[in-house]
Amino acid sequence: MDTTWLPGPTGLGAEHRVTRAGCRKVLVLVPTVTAGHRLMDLIMLLHGDHRVQTLFTVPRVFGYRQGPEDFVQDHRGLLEPWPHALQQRYDLILSAGDQDADHVCGNVLALSHGAGSLKSRRFSRMASNVTRETTGLDREMLTFRGRVVPQAIALSHDDELDVLRRTCPEAVDRAVVAGDICFDRMIASCGLRSRYRRALGVRDDQTLVTVSSTWSPDSTFGQHITVYRRLLDELPADQFRVAAVLHPNIWAVHGRWQVRAWLADCLTDGLLVIPPEEGWRATMIAADWVLGDHGSTTVYAAALGKPVTLAAFPEHNVRPGSLADHVARHAPGLRHDRPLLPQLRAAASAMAPTAGPAVAGALTSKPGESARILRATMYSLLGLPEPAGPAVVAPLPDPRPITAITD
């Protein structure tokens, strides 16, 4: 555990070190790269404000150390050691994890790290099969020793508020229906589709097939890792490109070297592997077809109106009425015992034109409004007036795929 004191803007003697004095302190909790992604979208709304100092920390309670620390360093964030974060008070704490905000002191804004606040899985990955179902808005996830931890709970949809009234009624007055800032950034970036395709090396006359996988043994990567090899072998190379979007936990648990080693032959033959730090959203915008599973990235692809085929789908562990369930109602399942090309060509006609709007409508009830609502919530917790001008989401950066095992 790192016990070296950070000579930064917090702690004893900080007033003698800082150049900008009197700033409100914002702490960003990054237990996983997935949480980091979501919170980077949020703190962009603080850009340009000279009254605010942002720090990052990687909780040691639940999470993966190497991946999140690399994520913060890649973004040039100031990393506050976890033991020291526990000894400070912050004006605003941003959390997109499940169980970390109760350890730190300050006004907490909590939001989901994936698509929607309600989990698509019926049961937690962290428990045995003998457990009760979870929603993602359960009392044990929002309270500590009888008190509600977050001062504000950002929800994506009005329907989630109804669930919260049932699962944790004492938290209802903390809830803010704010929409989905990740999806709003994707929608705002759709006009850059041609640019993203060029960044991926996909020609205008080529079809981009993107394979999306969440983590765990019942995911696409866990169940059907050979699908990447099959796509490269069965699809004409001059007409198709294939990209792989893997959940950051796959990289964090197995290691970057191992993931690239598993896909080494595919990388040699042209597979575009999207790194965990950034690029998956731009790749989904660039895609023509998506092979996915029950994970959030597949949900976002379907909400964009992309033709989706489910390469893996654990029906026994998907909560009825969840976002993954909504996708499954519109997307056919992939037959792994049959040729892939005819199934991919049939995917576009299998998805009704109303499928995308239906999934998007289940994903967010405040489309295009998340930046406004979330910025107002953050500044209320900070005790500061909002900056002049509208709150807007930034366009997504170009994807930078891994194209070789040494990348």
Side-chain angles (χ1 to χ4, degrees):
M1 181 178 291
D2 186 359
T3 58
T4 304
W5 187 260
L6 174 72
T10 62
L12 292 174
E15 67 275 11
H16 303 299
R17 296 190 292 267
V18 297
T19 299
R20 287 289 303 168
C23 288
R24 296 288 206 274
K25 305 296 191 300
V26 177
L27 182 68
V28 183
L29 302 181
V30 189
T32 64
V33 173
T34 312
H37 271 302
R38 186 57 54 101
L39 296 178
M40 288 302 299
D41 288 346
L42 204 56
I43 63 174
M44 285 182 178
L45 302 176
L46 302 174
H47 282 185
D49 195 328
H50 305 155
R51 303 167 296 173
V52 175
Q53 164 76 59
T54 302
L55 303 98
F56 301 79
T57 192
V58 176
R60 295 292 187 266
V61 187
F62 301 96
Y64 309 97
R65 177 172 179 174
Q66 183 175 353
E69 288 191 350
D70 289 345
F71 178 86
V72 174
Q73 290 166 2
D74 287 344
H75 284 84
R76 304 298 189 266
L78 190 62
L79 188 61
E80 183 99 296
W82 179 241
H84 304 148
L86 300 178
Q87 302 175 43
Q88 307 298 315
R89 179 173 181 84
Y90 301 89
D91 299 290
L92 174 62
I93 298 168
L94 301 178
S95 171
D98 291 339
Q99 295 173 310
D100 48 27
D102 56 312
H103 292 78
V104 285
C105 185
N107 294 325
V108 176
L109 169 58
L111 67 161
S112 168
H113 61 258
S117 298
L118 299 177
K119 294 182 181 295
S120 286
R121 283 181 165 272
R122 293 177 61 194
F123 304 104
S124 171
R125 292 182 177 95
M126 302 302 180
S128 67
N129 290 331
V130 184
T131 185
R132 67 182 181 84
E133 296 186 18
T134 183
T135 66
L137 290 174
D138 302 310
R139 178 176 284 112
E140 58 266 30
M141 302 179 71
L142 298 173
T143 63
F144 179 71
R145 294 180 177 174
R147 68 176 179 88
V148 178
V149 173
Q151 277 65 47
I153 304 167
L155 306 179
S156 302
H157 203 284
D158 292 324
D159 291 347
E160 296 171 354
L161 190 59
D162 295 334
V163 173
L164 187 63
R165 289 192 181 98
R166 184 180 73 251
T167 59
C168 190
E170 63 268 40
V172 169
D173 63 349
R174 310 282 182 93
V176 179
V177 181
D180 189 306
I181 193 167
C182 175
F183 187 59
D184 284 353
R185 282 194 76 187
M186 294 178 80
I187 291 296
S189 302
C190 282
L192 300 175
R193 171 178 158 85
S194 295
R195 172 175 155 178
Y196 296 152
R197 288 172 65 88
R198 287 194 298 272
L200 291 166
V202 179
R203 300 194 313 266
D204 291 342
D205 62 343
Q206 289 180 311
T207 296
L208 176 61
V209 179
T210 298
V211 185
S212 168
S213 179
T214 188
W215 66 294
S216 77
D218 53 14
S219 66
T220 301
F221 198 76
Q223 289 286 311
H224 303 291
I225 195 171
T226 57
V227 74
Y228 307 96
R229 182 71 262 166
R230 287 192 60 197
L231 286 166
L232 293 169
D233 289 343
E234 296 184 29
L235 305 184
D238 60 330
Q239 301 175 32
F240 291 85
R241 295 300 303 273
V242 181
V245 169
L246 306 176
H247 193 286
N249 284 1
I250 297 174
W251 298 88
V253 171
H254 295 288
R256 288 174 178 261
W257 182 90
Q258 185 61 72
V259 172
R260 290 179 297 182
W262 277 331
L263 297 174
D265 63 314
C266 298
L267 282 164
T268 299
D269 290 341
L271 179 68
L272 305 168
V273 179
I274 308 304
E277 294 80 16
E278 186 56 87
W280 71 265
R281 291 177 290 189
T283 303
M284 288 302 178
I285 292 170
D288 298 293
W289 283 319
V290 174
L291 293 183
D293 53 24
H294 53 295
S296 291
T297 51
T298 306
V299 171
Y300 284 115
L304 286 177
K306 301 294 179 179
V308 172
T309 301
L310 295 174
F313 194 78
E315 294 184 19
H316 66 285
N317 199 13
V318 171
R319 187 174 53 79
S322 66
L323 288 169
D325 183 49
H326 275 281
V327 174
R329 295 176 195 175
H330 301 283
L334 188 70
R335 291 291 303 270
H336 291 274
D337 59 339
R338 295 182 179 179
L340 298 178
L341 183 56
Q343 295 186 72
L344 294 178
R345 285 180 170 158
S349 59
M351 292 281 286
T354 56
V359 176
L363 174 64
T364 173
S365 58
K366 302 287 184 181
E369 297 186 55
S370 62
R372 174 183 62 81
I373 298 171
L374 288 169
R375 191 179 78 168
T377 302
M378 286 193 292
Y379 276 94
S380 175
L381 294 175
L382 282 168
L384 291 174
E386 284 190 71
V392 295
V393 293
L396 296 167
D398 292 350
R400 297 180 178 179
I402 297 169
T403 58
I405 191 170
T406 54
D407 285 356

